[in-house]
């Protein structure tokens, strides 16, 4: 039994790190795609939109805190005022403002629109990381051009899926358009009689908070290399901020109660999968691949939502979905290829600038000559001390 578990661990370790990053980011965007449907459903069940993110973040923190405390006990540097302020800022941007803007945008527009606006996150992440010198962009080299083209292709692919349908490619058997429309409206909600302009502004604010959060986590990890602890501190300060806002606005205790078992399951899914696991995966991937590499997977979420609409909900699949999918995959490939070439170029430059190590024969010759020189300089008789 021990041998089997050991061999299984070896097989897992034999998976290349780059492949593990790809699988983790694919899972991350899959959970985010399901999250849109689950959150819209939970809000339609009557859960307060200010109290929902509080319960979501508490669930995520309860899951992550034990792992952070025990697994990173030796890796956590001592806290200081600067780190606490940075954790507070990450909680404000990545949890409080990010979730708040998302829910306000979702309520006043639609899940489809918010998912479409999120496709601006890779471009925003790329620009912010380049301005802050976190991501190096060499436009005079092939790797720099490939990364720029990859980000643009991914954003373009997601935009095609969202705004261009084209001819129908796949029609699910025995589907009723009226039944589908009713089901989609019950899950996603509609944007009738709502403040569309305000919702658009909130959706854009959600994207700005998201890519700012992705970029700013990189420097914090260099100062505090304990990923689960960083996520836990971020959630902790986010919970304090969200709870203060919710307690000030919602004074009725009835609003804090959950009356549906389905709503509880939805909160657990969003808290465990779409928050705790996703935040930990995102931070790990940022540490390993960089913020731009993580954000370029965002358009994959739109493709997955489109596939889910067709397979699970019985919606038709259009040519725009195939064209967008090709662009997204091409964009991901260009960014991965650019990052690989950039890493290879950096290793080559490092090897050229590093001094050439002496081999064994040269070391023996060097030290023997040094000993000879030192013996000639030494006096034959020791000097007498007076």
């Amino acid at each position: 039994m021990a041998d089997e578990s050991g061999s299984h661990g070896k097989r897992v370790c034999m998976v290349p790190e780059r492949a593990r990053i790809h699988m983790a980011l694919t899972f991350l965007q899959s959970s985010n795609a399901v999250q849109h449907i689950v959150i819209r459903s939970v809000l339609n069940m009557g859960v307060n939109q200010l109290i929902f993110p509080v319960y979501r973040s508490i669930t995520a923190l309860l899951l992550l805190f034990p792992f952070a405390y025990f697994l990173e006990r030796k890796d956590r540097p001592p806290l200081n005022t600067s780190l606490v302020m940075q954790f507070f800022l990450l909680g404000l941007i990545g949890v409080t403002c990010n979730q708040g803007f998302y829910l306000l945008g979702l309520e006043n527009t639609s899940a489809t629109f918010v998912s479409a606006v999120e496709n601006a996150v890779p471009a925003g992440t790329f620009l912010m990381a380049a301005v802050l010198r976190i991501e190096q962009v060499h436009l005079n080299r092939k790797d720099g051009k490939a990364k720029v083209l990859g980000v643009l292709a991914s954003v373009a692919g997601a935009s095609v899926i969202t705004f261009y349908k084209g001819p129908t490619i796949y029609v699910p058997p025995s589907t009723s358009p009226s039944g589908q429309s009713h089901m989609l409206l019950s899950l996603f909600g509609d944007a009738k009689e709502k403040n569309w302009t305000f919702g658009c502004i909130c959706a854009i604010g959600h994207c700005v908070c998201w890519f700012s959060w992705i970029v700013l986590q990189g420097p914090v990890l260099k100062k505090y290399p304990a990923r689960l602890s960083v996520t836990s501190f971020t959630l902790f300060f986010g919970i304090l901020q969200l709870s203060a806002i919710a307690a000030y606005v919602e004074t009725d205790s009835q609003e804090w109660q959950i009356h549906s078992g389905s709503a509880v399951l939805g909160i657990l899914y969003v808290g465990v999968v779409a928050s705790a696991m996703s935040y930990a995966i995102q931070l790990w991937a940022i540490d390993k691949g960089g913020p731009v590499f993580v954000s370029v997977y965002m358009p994959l979420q739109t493709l997955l939502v489109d596939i889910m609409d067709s397979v699970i909900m019985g919606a038709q699949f259009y040519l725009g979905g195939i064209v967008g999918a090709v662009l997204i995959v091409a964009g991901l490939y260009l960014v991965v290829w650019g990052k690989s070439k950039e890493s290879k170029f950096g290793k080559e430059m490092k090897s050229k600038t590093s001094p050439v190590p002496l081999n064994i024969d040269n070391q023996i010759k060097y030290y023997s000559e040094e000993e000879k020189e030192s013996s000639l300089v030494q006096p034959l008789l020791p000097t007498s001390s007076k």
Side-chain angles (χ1 to χ4, degrees):
M1 183 67 69
D3 295 338
E4 291 180 359
S5 61
S7 61
H8 177 71
K10 290 181 180 178
R11 285 197 298 269
V12 173
C13 295
M14 287 175 63
V15 178
E17 185 178 83
R18 186 65 65 178
R20 279 181 283 161
I21 296 175
H22 290 311
M23 291 187 290
L25 291 177
T26 302
F27 171 81
L28 174 65
Q29 296 309 321
S30 302
S31 65
N32 287 338
V34 178
Q35 172 188 221
H36 290 296
I37 301 175
V38 174
I39 291 178
R40 184 70 264 179
S41 301
V42 170
L43 294 179
N44 286 345
M45 293 174 190
V47 179
N48 190 288
Q49 65 175 0
L50 288 176
I51 298 172
F52 169 76
V54 177
Y55 290 151
R56 167 185 180 169
S57 301
I58 289 175
T59 305
L61 181 61
L62 289 177
L63 179 64
L64 282 178
F65 176 74
F67 292 98
Y69 180 78
F70 290 105
L71 297 180
E72 297 180 341
R73 182 181 299 179
K74 298 179 180 179
D75 300 331
R76 279 194 302 269
L79 285 175
N80 53 46
T81 306
S82 176
L83 284 172
V84 171
M85 293 301 296
Q86 291 179 54
F87 294 147
F88 181 88
L89 181 63
L90 288 178
L92 179 64
I93 295 175
V95 179
T96 305
C97 294
N98 186 21
Q99 295 187 23
F101 280 134
Y102 170 77
L103 292 174
L104 289 173
L106 189 65
E107 182 187 22
N108 288 279
T109 57
S110 65
T112 304
F113 178 80
V114 174
S115 177
V117 174
E118 286 179 350
N119 296 315
V121 171
T125 305
F126 186 78
L127 291 175
M128 186 174 181
V131 170
L132 296 179
R133 308 274 183 163
I134 297 175
E135 182 76 19
Q136 296 183 357
V137 184
H138 304 281
L139 294 177
N140 58 338
R141 297 203 320 240
K142 290 182 179 180
D143 57 294
K145 295 177 182 178
K147 288 194 293 184
V148 174
L149 290 176
V151 171
L152 294 177
S154 297
V155 174
S159 301
V160 168
I161 292 175
T162 305
F163 301 110
Y164 172 73
K165 288 187 176 181
T168 303
I169 301 298
Y170 170 74
V171 180
S174 65
T175 56
S176 171
S178 60
Q180 289 177 17
S181 301
H182 177 72
M183 180 171 57
L184 288 174
L185 284 175
S186 64
L187 285 172
F188 289 98
D190 56 15
K192 295 180 180 179
E193 299 179 358
K194 295 180 181 180
N195 193 337
W196 183 269
T197 304
F198 177 72
C200 293
I201 294 174
C202 290
I204 294 172
H206 159 62
C207 292
V208 173
C209 290
W210 199 340
F211 71 68
S212 300
W213 184 40
I214 291 175
V215 173
L216 294 177
Q217 282 176 328
V220 175
L221 280 175
K222 293 182 179 179
K223 300 177 183 178
Y224 200 86
R227 292 185 291 266
L228 294 177
S229 299
V230 170
T231 307
S232 299
F233 281 121
T234 301
L235 285 169
F236 172 74
F237 285 110
I239 291 170
L240 293 182
Q241 297 159 8
L242 289 169
S243 300
I245 296 172
Y248 178 78
V249 176
E250 300 295 342
T251 56
D252 187 4
S253 60
Q254 294 293 326
E255 293 291 334
W256 291 79
Q257 298 179 9
I258 307 298
H259 303 284
S260 171
S262 300
V264 173
L265 291 177
I267 293 173
L268 288 176
Y269 171 82
V270 176
V272 174
V273 180
S275 292
M277 295 176 65
S278 294
Y279 292 169
I281 290 172
Q282 177 177 285
L283 208 59
W284 174 78
I286 290 173
D287 190 27
K288 298 296 182 180
V292 174
F293 188 76
V294 173
S295 66
V296 81
Y297 265 81
M298 285 289 299
L300 183 62
Q301 178 186 150
T302 303
L303 174 61
L304 294 174
V305 170
D306 204 36
I307 295 175
M308 287 168 54
D309 282 347
S310 179
V311 176
I312 299 176
M313 299 182 182
Q316 297 180 355
F317 197 74
Y318 298 94
L319 177 63
I322 296 178
V323 175
V326 172
L327 288 173
I328 290 173
V329 173
L332 290 174
Y333 174 79
L334 284 172
V335 173
V336 172
W337 183 86
K339 294 288 288 184
S340 176
K341 290 295 181 182
E342 182 184 51
S343 177
K344 185 178 179 181
F345 181 80
K347 291 179 180 178
E348 290 178 355
M349 293 298 295
K350 194 173 182 180
S351 62
K352 289 180 181 179
T353 55
S354 60
V356 180
L358 294 173
N359 55 31
I360 300 298
D361 296 334
N362 289 337
Q363 287 183 10
I364 295 174
K365 183 178 180 182
Y366 173 80
Y367 286 115
S368 60
E369 290 178 354
E370 190 179 46
E371 289 177 359
K372 289 180 181 179
E373 182 180 358
S374 61
S375 62
L376 291 174
V377 173
Q378 291 177 357
L380 295 176
L381 296 175
T383 56
S384 60
S385 58
K386 295 182 180 180

